[in-house]
Amino acid sequence: MTTATREKIVETAARLFHEQGFASTGVATILREADVNSGSLYHFFRSKDELLQGVLDYYLQNLYPMVMAPVVEQEADPVRRVFALLGWYRRFLLENEC
C-alpha cells in the first residue's frame, strides 16, 4: 500500500464529508469514489472515525500553505493580513454558497 493511496482516500473522504456530511457519507461511497478496495482503507484506518481524524489532520497540515501563506506573501502588515484573510474567507463562503 502506498502513501498515494492513503492520500487519495483522505482527499476523497474530505470532499465527501464536506458535500454530504460525515454521518451521511458511507464507507462504501468513499471506497467507490476513491476507486480503492476496502482492504486499502482498513490498511490505513481502523474505522470511519479514524478516517475522520486523518481528514482533520490533512486539513491542519494544509491550513498554512493553502490559506495563510498566500495572505502572508501578499500582505506584510499584520493588521492588513487579518483583513486580507477575512476577505479571502468571505469570498470562499460566497463561492461555496455557505
Side-chain angles (χ1 to χ4, degrees):
M1 307 277 165
T2 67
T3 56
T5 301
R6 185 185 188 284
E7 289 173 12
K8 183 194 272 189
I9 294 167
V10 169
E11 289 172 0
T12 301
R15 178 178 54 80
L16 292 170
F17 293 163
H18 173 76
E19 292 172 359
Q20 303 176 159
F22 176 75
S24 298
T25 303
V27 171
T29 304
I30 296 167
L31 295 170
R32 184 181 65 251
E33 294 282 323
D35 195 28
V36 298
N37 62 40
S38 61
S40 296
L41 187 137
Y42 292 110
H43 173 76
F44 296 108
F45 307 100
R46 289 178 285 179
S47 66
K48 184 179 169 189
D49 287 339
E50 195 171 293
L51 173 58
L52 175 60
Q53 184 62 53
V55 169
L56 295 173
D57 290 341
Y58 167 80
Y59 281 132
L60 196 56
Q61 291 169 356
N62 288 292
L63 179 65
Y64 188 85
M66 293 175 77
V67 176
M68 293 304 298
V71 173
V72 170
E73 292 169 9
Q74 172 186 40
E75 208 44 77
D77 178 63
V79 174
R80 293 181 72 139
R81 278 187 198 154
V82 171
F83 289 103
L85 182 60
L86 290 172
W88 175 90
Y89 186 64
R90 182 178 189 280
R91 284 188 304 277
F92 176 82
L93 292 176
L94 291 172
E95 290 170 6
N96 290 285
E97 300 177 356
C98 288

